[in-house]
Each structure stands twice: as C-alpha cells, then as structure tokens.
Amino acid sequence: MYLPSATESSVEKENTTNKEVHRKNKEKQKQDNCMATVDQKVTIDCPWSIYSTIIALTFCIPFNAKHSLLSAGKRKYVQVCVQNLSELCFQLSDHSLKNSADCTDLQLVPLNPESQQVIYSKQSIFFVWELKWTKELPLSLQCLFSVSFCPATSEEQSLTLKPFTYEFQVENFFTLYHVKTEIFPPLGAEYCKTGSLCSLEVSITRLVDLSEVDRDEALTESD
C-alpha cells in the first residue's frame, strides 16, 4: 500500500526547522499507523530542465501475522493470527494453510468457515487448523499461510491484489505438560457463590514419554 508523502526537489533547500518538523511528523505518522514501512525514492528527469525532482514513496504493509501451536489432550491445532495494521477495512477470502513438505501422512483440517470475512482497522482475526496424522508427526512442519484480500469499500473491490502470504516453521511440537484446573466451594458449602472464598487447584503433570525430547534439549534442566 502506498501512502503519499511530501515531494522533495534537489533545487529547493528547506531550513533546519522545517526539516525537523517534517521528520517528527513522519515519525509520528508511522507510530500512529503502527505499520511496517518500506521507503523508496523515484528521481524524475525532464529533458527541458537541468534539475531532477526526487519523489519519496512510502509503502506500508497492511497486515501482520503470527502463529502458535495449541494442544488439547492428544489433539493439536495450528493457529494463525492476522492483524490489520492500517486504517482501512479489508475483505478476506480464500484462506489456506499448506504444508510445503507435502507429507501424505499429515492433514491440515480447516476449522474456519469458508465465507468471506471483513477485518476492520486494528482488528485481529484468527484462523485455526487441526493437525491429523496417520503414522507419526514429522520432526518439523513447514507451513505457508495465504489469504486473499481487497478493500471492503464497494468502489475499490475491483482492485486486483496479490494474496497476503506468511511462511513459518514449527519444530518439536510435542505436548510437554498436561494442565488440569478445578475450583472447589468453601468447606461445608455445596456450590461456589459470589463473594465467598473458593479454592483453585491447578495440577501440572509432566508427561513421561519425553526422553528423546529431553536429549534434544527441548526442556530445561530445572523442574
């Protein structure tokens, strides 16, 4: 995405105060947008002029993506979070997650609806896939996430934009601990009530079949 910026000329010289104000305004704009930016400059030469005009272009990346691995018992899930960093609203469609290793024993089952979704400014949308395998999990998982997007406004939906892609790798995705929580009512009471002091019991069990993972230094030495 291109955001217009001020035009600079090699002939015109701004004073130090104006340059400082321009720099602070530009930095403030980047902080407000919280977008990753790529700055480029284009030089325009005219045949009837001996001077060149320099135009500064700032391209902003509208999305930020991050992934996480979730476990629930023996079931595992891959979650991708897409955050809209821009001030615009976009319409997302055709999201997919592919394993670049082409492992036939592993399937990524999408749990999100196939319908289009609107992501508003500063909003985050989560996509989840369940991992299903027939033999055993591979040592690493090379993933490529892709989603098509276009501006949510009707007059700009005809724009042809390349899909947003995010590539990541997951390694050693073993379930290390089993966590169980339970809340108990006070002594002599049958139920938990508002205002009463109840006890929370948290049980963390380290799984015993992780000797190979320990040798690979996936766990720390501490307990």
Side-chain angles (χ1 to χ4, degrees):
M1 296 172 55
Y2 164 68
L3 292 183
S5 58
T7 303
E8 297 179 0
S9 175
S10 60
V11 186
E12 300 174 342
K13 294 183 179 180
E14 299 176 341
N15 56 45
T16 307
T17 305
N18 291 337
K19 287 184 177 180
E20 186 68 17
V21 172
H22 176 72
R23 182 183 63 83
K24 290 183 178 180
N25 290 338
K26 190 174 183 180
E27 291 179 356
K28 184 177 184 301
Q29 182 182 10
K30 288 184 178 181
Q31 292 176 358
D32 293 341
N33 292 335
C34 297
M35 285 192 291
T37 59
V38 178
D39 294 329
Q40 299 286 347
K41 288 187 177 181
V42 177
T43 302
I44 300 178
D45 296 324
C46 299
W48 55 83
S49 176
I50 62 174
Y51 303 110
S52 300
T53 301
I54 300 178
I55 298 179
L57 302 178
T58 300
F59 293 91
C60 299
I61 301 175
F63 301 117
N64 179 41
K66 59 182 178 180
H67 67 278
S68 58
L69 185 69
L70 310 177
S71 297
K74 295 183 178 180
R75 306 175 69 178
K76 298 182 184 298
Y77 306 87
V78 175
Q79 176 181 274
V80 177
C81 173
V82 177
Q83 182 184 10
N84 184 3
L85 303 178
S86 70
E87 301 293 337
L88 303 177
C89 300
F90 295 97
Q91 186 169 282
L92 305 181
S93 61
D94 301 330
H95 60 274
S96 65
L97 182 66
K98 296 182 180 179
N99 179 20
S100 56
D102 294 332
C103 182
T104 57
D105 299 330
L106 182 66
Q107 290 184 343
L108 294 170
V109 181
L111 302 182
N112 291 75
E114 296 295 335
S115 59
Q116 297 179 346
Q117 292 179 285
V118 176
I119 180 170
Y120 297 94
S121 176
K122 313 303 180 184
Q123 183 190 18
S124 297
I125 289 184
F126 296 86
F127 300 93
V128 182
W129 287 262
E130 183 178 0
L131 287 172
K132 290 189 176 181
W133 60 95
T134 55
K135 296 181 180 179
E136 60 182 11
L137 283 172
L139 296 179
S140 62
L141 188 64
Q142 297 281 350
C143 296
L144 178 62
F145 170 77
S146 175
V147 61
S148 300
F149 70 99
C150 66
T153 55
S154 58
E155 61 270 11
E156 296 180 348
Q157 287 186 358
S158 60
L159 294 177
T160 302
L161 302 174
K162 292 183 178 181
F164 172 76
T165 58
Y166 171 63
E167 189 173 1
F168 61 93
Q169 180 178 354
V170 180
E171 294 181 346
N172 293 332
F173 39 87
F174 301 95
T175 301
L176 304 181
Y177 298 94
H178 179 264
V179 181
K180 180 181 179 181
T181 61
E182 191 172 359
I183 299 179
F184 297 95
L187 294 177
E190 185 178 1
Y191 303 103
C192 296
K193 296 182 180 180
T194 303
S196 61
L197 183 61
C198 303
S199 59
L200 169 66
E201 182 178 297
V202 180
S203 172
I204 303 177
T205 306
R206 175 174 168 177
L207 302 184
V208 295
D209 55 347
L210 294 177
S211 57
E212 295 182 0
V213 182
D214 289 337
R215 287 196 294 266
D216 292 339
E217 299 181 355
L219 292 176
T220 61
E221 295 296 332
S222 63
D223 294 328

